[in-house]
Amino acid sequence: MVKEYEKEQDFATELLLGVAGLGEARESETDAFYELVSALVLGLLKRAAAVRVHWYDGHRKCLADTGVVSEGQCRDMLLKLYRIDGQEAADAQEKAELERCFMAQGSAFRLGADLCWYWNETLIFRFSKEKIEEQIAWGNYVI
C-alpha cells in the first residue's frame, strides 16, 4: 500500500540588510558589502527554497523587499541595492523602529554595512573587508 502525503511548504528564510551609511562609504567597503550579500543569499539558497531580502528605502521611508529563489534573482536584487547607493539618510529613530517591528515578526538573519552577520540578536560572524574573499570561500558558519 502506498500513502500519498501533501508536500510540506518549502522552507524560506528572511535577511534584513542594514544599508545605512553605504552612500558615504568608500568603494572598497561597499564592494565588500555587496559581495557578502551575494554570497550569503546564494549560500542560504542551498538550505532554503527562498530568501526574502529586506532593506530600508530612504526615499520612501519604509522597508523594501524582494524574494530570491535563483542566482538570476540574486543579481536582480543586487541591482536594486546598487540603485539605493547615495540615497538620503533615513531618520535613525524611524529606521530603528521599522527594524524592531520586522524582527518582532519572527526569526531572521541580519547583515549590516559594518559586515556583521546576525541570527536575530546573536552575532554569527564579523567579516573583514580585507579578508572577505577568504572568509567567504573558507567559511563554514554554524547557526
Side-chain angles (χ1 to χ4, degrees):
M1 176 154 84
V2 177
K3 289 187 179 182
E4 290 187 29
Y5 295 94
E6 199 172 317
K7 185 178 179 182
E8 289 185 42
Q9 186 177 11
D10 290 332
F11 173 73
T13 192
E14 309 283 330
L15 175 62
L16 177 63
L17 301 176
V19 296
L22 277 182
E24 300 86 37
R26 288 178 284 196
E27 187 175 337
S28 63
E29 294 168 337
T30 57
D31 287 349
F33 178 77
Y34 292 130
E35 185 175 354
L36 186 53
V37 168
S38 178
L40 287 177
V41 169
L42 294 175
L44 289 169
L45 281 176
K46 291 179 181 177
R47 299 282 183 208
V51 179
R52 178 145 302 274
V53 183
H54 307 263
W55 62 90
Y56 188 80
D57 183 327
H59 289 303
R60 295 185 342 196
K61 304 267 190 237
C62 64
L63 282 175
D65 65 34
T66 190
V68 178
V69 297
S70 68
E71 192 172 329
Q73 286 182 333
C74 184
R75 282 191 300 273
D76 293 343
M77 179 262 313
L78 287 171
L79 285 173
K80 290 178 184 179
L81 289 175
Y82 294 149
R83 290 185 188 124
I84 66 167
D85 255 358
Q87 278 188 0
E88 63 193 58
D91 175 75
Q93 184 175 0
E94 181 179 358
K95 181 180 174 290
E97 286 179 29
L98 284 169
E99 287 183 1
R100 268 195 303 278
C101 180
F102 173 76
M103 293 304 289
Q105 293 177 7
S107 299
F109 291 101
R110 288 188 301 130
L111 176 67
D114 59 357
L115 307 181
C116 291
W117 183 31
Y118 294 87
W119 170 248
N120 294 328
E121 299 301 319
T122 304
L123 179 66
I124 297 169
F125 195 79
R126 185 179 314 270
F127 292 88
S128 160
K129 71 176 180 159
E130 292 82 14
K131 297 179 181 179
I132 192 96
E133 290 179 10
E134 179 182 322
Q135 291 169 332
I136 289 171
W138 298 105
N140 189 11
Y141 305 98
V142 179
I143 300 161

